[in-house]
Amino acid sequence: MSTDEPRSARRRLSRDRIVDAALTSIEEHGVDQMSMRSLGRDLGVEAMALYRYVSGREDLLEAVVANLLNGFVERVEAAETTSWQEYLQHVAHEIRHIALANPTAFPLVVSRHPAAPWLRPPLRDIEMVEHVLATLCARGFTDDQAVDTYKAFTSFLVGSLLLEVSIKTENIAAVEEPMNEGSADIPEQDSSDDADLAQAPHVLRMRDRLSQDHSEAEFETGLESLLNRIEHTVSH
Amino acid sequence: MSTDEPRSARRRLSRDRIVDAALTSIEEHGVDQMSMRSLGRDLGVEAMALYRYVSGREDLLEAVVANLLNGFVERVEAAETTSWQEYLQHVAHEIRHIALANPTAFPLVVSRHPAAPWLRPPLRDIEMVEHVLATLCARGFTDDQAVDTYKAFTSFLVGSLLLEVSIKTENIAAVEEPMNEGSADIPEQDSSDDADLAQAPHVLRMRDRLSQDHSEAEFETGLESLLNRIEHTVSH
DNA sequence: ACCTGAACACCGTTCAAGT
DNA sequence: ACCTGAACACCGTTCAAGT
């Protein structure tokens, strides 16, 4: 954008720049590795400078989550869906897209304490909750039906996606490639694994199938099944 | 048990005692607050002493997770179920029981890197995975059916339970009661909340219903629906 | 054999001081 | 107005030393 800047540095600080850098760092090195001090280093600044823009690490993580969800409602509204089924499908895919684009940061969405703690499940963006409830009511749901649907839907969504990203990230920030340094004198490559596996013939036999990733298809199947279930209970 | 001991202290260290103390501390103050040093304090010992029994903080957290799942397979086997439906119901309730008894520690089950990384979803206890697969096969499932069932089942289980415990723990280790120290001169009790809520009439209207906790019933409904779905696909 | 002290390289956060 | 230096109270972890 600008003329020249050393690394990713000093164009003057701003809250947005800090939050972006935090998200990048989280996705690259894991949330534990993202410290105020490392973030300062990334931004070419001392850690203390960040406190002008965020009130602390917790606040920064909140901001990262908010940033993740940014523009969600707008994108959903732009879709112009006709049935509530189509609407919920769209919401689900939109959030799944966010989760897959930010697999390491996504769990923060559910682990950070929510804006409205009394909301169960605690999806932290009230704007989104409001949109879902309003849409369902506009499609003829009673309040009770809307609430039940909201709960079942978010449970499914959060559950599936947390699992999916936990698969996708494996373990970022774990060991970070010590690479053995070429020295190959440690015989057992992961002793406990193979020992356990010897006791688990079925796991061993189905290993190939178990390791295949069909998250996409499973997500679609689960979602459709959920919508069918809701459809059934809504029409008594 | 013994004659006298100061606080919860020095009966000589052991791996089990350390792991138990860690779990207690995690449930009481949150996983972030549980440090090697605070744990040493709890056990009446210097932090460095712990390194005789655990190889580090990560190892300790692994051990906590293993401890949580301890005896699971035995309890499931003791149940003597007759159908695969009944069996999976039992497994589900057993794990739900563990999750609710250790709501703060439970998320570690899914966030720690699994023993078999290629296993999707990565339920870290191979013994348990083996038990489920073996039982399903013994009930006449083909390998493919067993794998599909395992995946759908654990997705549902982990998803539901992560959500349920995240509701139950709200935010342990957040703020930890500053209590305002009696000084009542801050007018806004949580300004952002109410501001957001003013924009969210549906959320406001359904607030009572939304805040009610029906996790138990929702869990049962979801589980039954899942078993029905499996039943249907198994019999083509 | 089991634990401790001292040390190292890190944290988050505050605050007076620099420009 | 925006950033830094120094400081404080913490971390995890190692290792030589004490008993």
Side-chain angles (χ1 to χ4, degrees):
Chain A
M1 297 260 174
S2 185
T3 52
D4 64 335
E5 29 188 56
R7 293 269 159 183
S8 57
R10 62 176 78 75
R11 238 178 56 230
R12 189 120 155 294
L13 237 36
S14 76
R15 189 171 228 263
D16 279 348
R17 242 161 67 71
I18 293 172
V19 172
D20 283 354
L23 182 51
T24 304
S25 166
I26 288 173
E27 287 303 328
E28 197 159 357
H29 305 109
V31 60
D32 287 348
Q33 296 298 312
M34 193 279 286
S35 66
M36 292 291 127
R37 294 177 116 115
S38 73
L39 199 54
R41 263 166 342 241
D42 291 349
L43 290 163
V45 101
E46 298 300 313
M48 311 81 193
L50 305 175
Y51 286 82
R52 290 251 139 211
Y53 303 91
V54 296
S55 71
R57 189 175 196 267
E58 289 301 298
D59 179 48
L60 176 54
L61 290 177
E62 298 277 345
V64 167
V65 170
N67 191 50
L68 233 53
L69 268 34
N70 243 357
F72 165 78
V73 168
E74 286 76 358
R75 287 196 300 276
V76 167
E77 256 163 6
E80 289 286 352
T81 54
T82 59
S83 66
W84 62 264
Q85 288 93 333
E86 205 189 330
Y87 168 76
L88 289 183
Q89 289 259 15
H90 200 80
V91 170
H93 287 128
E94 197 66 51
I95 297 203
R96 180 163 186 269
H97 183 256
I98 293 174
L100 294 189
N102 310 86
T104 309
F106 184 74
L108 294 175
V109 172
V110 77
S111 69
R112 301 284 89 192
H113 70 273
W118 45 266
L119 194 63
R120 279 127 221 255
L123 252 294
R124 19 171 324 105
D125 205 26
I126 294 193
E127 191 189 6
M128 176 198 141
V129 180
E130 174 66 15
H131 199 267
V132 170
L133 292 177
T135 305
L136 291 179
C137 287
R139 302 282 189 211
F141 280 55
T142 66
D143 281 14
D144 279 17
Q145 288 170 339
V147 169
D148 289 352
T149 299
Y150 164 77
K151 290 192 178 196
F153 179 70
T154 44
S155 292
F156 166 77
L157 207 52
V158 172
S160 309
L161 295 182
L162 280 183
L163 255 174
E164 201 168 347
V165 300
S166 100
I167 288 169
K168 218 126 262 165
T169 60
E170 215 75 302
N171 45 351
I172 215 154
V175 199
E176 200 80 7
E177 300 219 41
M179 265 308 214
N180 254 349
E181 260 184 334
S183 77
D185 39 5
I186 300 167
E188 14 81 70
Q189 54 175 352
D190 214 341
S191 59
S192 72
D193 256 39
D194 293 357
D196 289 355
L197 276 183
Q199 307 287 84
H202 290 82
V203 173
L204 208 55
R205 173 155 51 91
M206 306 183 198
R207 175 167 181 154
D208 280 353
R209 292 191 208 289
L210 281 167
S211 63
Q212 278 166 29
D213 184 14
H214 294 130
S215 335
E216 173 95 39
E218 288 158 22
F219 184 81
E220 301 300 340
T221 312
L223 180 55
E224 222 152 311
S225 153
L226 174 69
L227 293 181
N228 284 339
R229 174 150 69 96
I230 293 170
E231 205 167 318
H232 187 259
T233 62
V234 162
S235 58
H236 294 192
Chain B
M1 298 262 173
S2 186
T3 52
D4 64 336
E5 29 187 57
R7 293 270 159 183
S8 59
R10 62 176 80 74
R11 237 177 58 230
R12 190 121 155 294
L13 236 39
S14 77
R15 189 171 228 263
D16 280 347
R17 241 161 69 70
I18 293 173
V19 172
D20 283 354
L23 182 50
T24 305
S25 166
I26 288 173
E27 287 302 329
E28 197 158 358
H29 305 108
V31 60
D32 287 347
Q33 296 298 313
M34 195 278 287
S35 67
M36 292 291 127
R37 295 178 116 115
S38 73
L39 198 53
R41 255 152 6 225
D42 292 348
L43 291 163
V45 100
E46 298 299 316
M48 312 81 192
L50 304 176
Y51 286 82
R52 292 249 140 213
Y53 304 91
V54 297
S55 72
R57 189 176 197 267
E58 289 301 297
D59 179 48
L60 176 53
L61 290 177
E62 298 278 345
V64 166
V65 170
N67 191 50
L68 233 53
L69 268 34
N70 242 359
F72 166 77
V73 168
E74 287 77 358
R75 287 196 300 276
V76 167
E77 257 163 6
E80 289 286 352
T81 54
T82 59
S83 66
W84 62 264
Q85 289 92 334
E86 206 188 330
Y87 168 77
L88 288 182
Q89 289 259 14
H90 199 80
V91 170
H93 288 127
E94 198 67 50
I95 298 203
R96 181 163 186 267
H97 183 255
I98 293 174
L100 295 188
N102 310 86
T104 310
F106 184 74
L108 294 175
V109 172
V110 76
S111 69
R112 302 284 88 192
H113 71 272
W118 44 266
L119 194 61
R120 284 132 217 248
L123 252 294
R124 18 169 325 102
D125 204 26
I126 294 192
E127 191 189 5
M128 175 198 141
V129 179
E130 174 66 14
H131 199 268
V132 170
L133 293 177
T135 304
L136 292 179
C137 287
R139 303 281 190 211
F141 280 54
T142 67
D143 281 13
D144 279 16
Q145 289 170 339
V147 170
D148 289 351
T149 300
Y150 164 78
K151 291 193 177 195
F153 179 70
T154 44
S155 293
F156 165 76
L157 208 51
V158 172
S160 310
L161 294 181
L162 279 182
L163 254 175
E164 201 168 346
V165 300
S166 100
I167 288 168
K168 217 127 261 165
T169 60
E170 215 75 301
N171 44 352
I172 215 155
V175 199
E176 200 78 9
E177 301 219 41
M179 264 309 214
N180 255 350
E181 263 184 332
S183 77
D185 40 3
I186 300 168
E188 15 81 70
Q189 54 174 352
D190 213 342
S191 58
S192 72
D193 257 39
D194 293 357
D196 289 354
L197 276 184
Q199 306 288 84
H202 290 82
V203 173
L204 208 54
R205 172 154 53 92
M206 305 183 199
R207 175 169 181 154
D208 280 353
R209 291 191 208 289
L210 281 167
S211 64
Q212 278 166 29
D213 184 13
H214 295 131
S215 334
E216 173 95 40
E218 286 159 22
F219 184 81
E220 301 302 339
T221 312
L223 179 55
E224 223 154 310
S225 153
L226 174 70
L227 293 181
N228 284 339
R229 174 150 69 98
I230 294 170
E231 205 168 318
H232 187 258
T233 63
V234 162
S235 57
H236 291 194

